[in-house]
Amino acid sequence: MDYLDELESQSIYIFREAYRSFKDLVMLWSIGKDSTVLLWLARKAFFGHVPFPLMHIDTSFKIPEMIEYRDRFARQWKLKLIVGMNREAIDSRQTFPDGAVSRLQCCAALKTEALRHTLSGRWPRRILDPDSGEFYTVENGPPFTGVIVGARADEEGSRSKERYFSPRGQESDWEVSDQPPELWNQFKTDFAPGTHVRIHPLLDWTELNIWEYIQRENIPVVSLYFDQGYGRRYRSLGCWPCTAPVESTAKTVAEIIEELRSGKFAHIAERSGRQQDKEDGSGLETLRRSGYM
């Protein structure tokens, strides 16, 4: 068993523990490389079937290729996909691209608020029917209290403080100093009924591990990760007004792996292209404490 086998085995174990321990599960799918690997692992953990719905929070500012990829593979793999959105903020143009709020305030409204209210069922959910491939809308859906997320500890500082099984408040708020210890691969999954729990099966994976696994498993990812001939590609995906590509000529997964192994990005943060991270030094942790994904 090599290190990718060990990471895969650990993640599948976490998936199965989560499914055994929590009734109202949902998995977030941001369409990026990490959450797509997470989806691949879920299909492996349950023998090709994903026994819980996926949730995507659509800000309406995602790069169009991301939405095309989402809908194409959700239909191909017959996934039950839930899409949530802060329609009020978008329709009233209370967003950063409209010049009304800062980048972080926009993230709080279009991502955190949309996630919290879609999880609780207080806001309408658009649901993709896996059989017909068509979306329909549901009001007052049941709440989800177990949320599987593709966060990696090495991606940025606040995520390094996460646990595999992390309890949250009733409104998804995160008390960083009050998290259970997870020593020697012992995990706490026994929480009071109704406790909102975030589950992180990819916590020990690195950016390089993710790309090595994508190569080994031949996992399809969004074409935005590859240079299309302009000497640039996206290293991290998000909303188009706040996400910039990096200088890179990598056109294949193998070339991305070679780039990472060469140390090209050794001193450049993976999320260096995400402009909201630069607006406030601890802005992402502030968002995560209030329920950000």
Side-chain angles (χ1 to χ4, degrees):
M1 178 179 285
D2 67 11
Y3 60 97
L4 287 180
D5 292 328
E6 291 177 1
L7 288 168
E8 178 190 70
S9 177
Q10 173 86 335
S11 297
I12 287 175
Y13 172 75
I14 297 294
F15 265 114
R16 291 174 177 166
E17 276 296 294
Y19 187 64
R20 182 184 68 85
S21 303
F22 304 106
K23 179 181 176 184
D24 301 310
L25 272 180
V26 69
M27 188 169 83
L28 301 187
W29 188 25
S30 70
I31 321 169
K33 63 186 186 308
D34 299 335
S35 63
T36 300
V37 164
L38 193 68
L39 172 56
W40 191 268
L41 288 164
R43 297 174 78 227
K44 275 202 165 187
F46 302 105
F47 308 102
H49 168 65
V50 182
F52 35 74
L54 275 67
M55 181 176 289
H56 175 68
I57 299 303
D58 191 348
T59 64
S60 80
F61 295 106
K62 296 294 184 185
I63 303 171
E65 288 93 326
M66 297 172 66
I67 302 301
E68 186 278 328
Y69 170 92
R70 180 197 72 185
D71 291 350
R72 177 159 47 95
F73 280 97
R75 290 185 173 108
Q76 180 178 324
W77 290 343
K78 292 194 173 297
L79 304 171
K80 184 172 184 180
L81 175 66
I82 298 171
V83 178
M85 178 178 283
N86 188 341
R87 177 54 66 188
E88 181 179 344
I90 294 167
D91 290 347
S92 62
R93 304 173 71 87
Q94 293 298 305
T95 71
F96 171 75
D98 290 308
V101 297
S102 70
R103 295 181 196 273
L104 287 176
Q105 289 169 327
C106 189
C107 279
L110 300 190
K111 296 180 180 176
T112 306
E113 285 302 305
L115 176 62
R116 289 169 56 186
H117 289 284
T118 307
L119 287 174
S120 70
R122 290 191 290 261
W123 284 2
R125 298 168 177 165
R126 292 180 64 230
I127 299 178
L128 179 69
D129 185 313
D131 296 319
S132 69
E134 300 296 325
F135 280 97
Y136 61 95
T137 301
V138 169
E139 307 270 357
N140 302 314
F144 295 106
T145 53
V147 185
I148 303 170
V149 186
R152 298 183 354 253
D154 80 321
E155 189 176 358
E156 60 83 31
S158 69
R159 298 179 190 202
S160 67
K161 302 174 185 177
E162 285 285 8
R163 301 289 192 270
Y164 278 102
F165 293 90
S166 169
R168 296 316 213 244
Q170 291 297 320
E171 294 297 327
S172 300
D173 48 300
W174 180 35
E175 181 53 64
V176 182
S177 62
D178 186 22
Q179 297 291 298
E182 291 181 335
L183 305 174
W184 302 290
N185 288 337
Q186 301 298 306
F187 308 113
K188 175 179 171 59
T189 59
D190 183 18
F191 298 100
T195 300
H196 181 130
V197 178
R198 296 282 176 92
I199 300 128
H200 303 105
L202 297 183
L203 213 53
D204 283 343
W205 293 59
T206 67
E207 182 185 12
L208 178 59
N209 296 151
I210 290 290
W211 282 111
E212 290 172 330
Y213 192 72
I214 288 170
Q215 182 184 52
R216 189 182 89 169
E217 302 286 315
N218 195 27
I219 301 172
V221 294
V222 184
S223 61
L224 295 164
Y225 282 116
F226 307 108
D227 174 31
Q228 304 297 321
Y230 302 101
R232 292 176 298 171
R233 67 175 183 86
Y234 287 91
R235 193 174 168 201
S236 177
L237 298 180
C239 297
W240 64 262
C242 297
T243 307
V246 296
E247 299 292 328
S248 167
T249 57
K251 294 181 172 62
T252 65
V253 173
E255 289 176 358
I256 290 176
I257 292 171
E258 180 57 33
E259 233 177 28
L260 293 172
R261 286 176 177 165
S262 74
K264 173 182 172 67
F265 294 117
H267 303 292
I268 302 174
E270 183 176 347
R271 290 175 58 94
S272 61
R274 306 290 284 272
Q275 300 304 310
Q276 68 268 38
D277 292 14
K278 302 172 184 174
E279 198 168 85
D280 178 339
S282 59
L284 199 57
E285 178 159 332
T286 302
L287 284 172
R288 292 180 65 78
R289 284 174 182 260
S290 62
Y292 185 77
M293 57 202 71

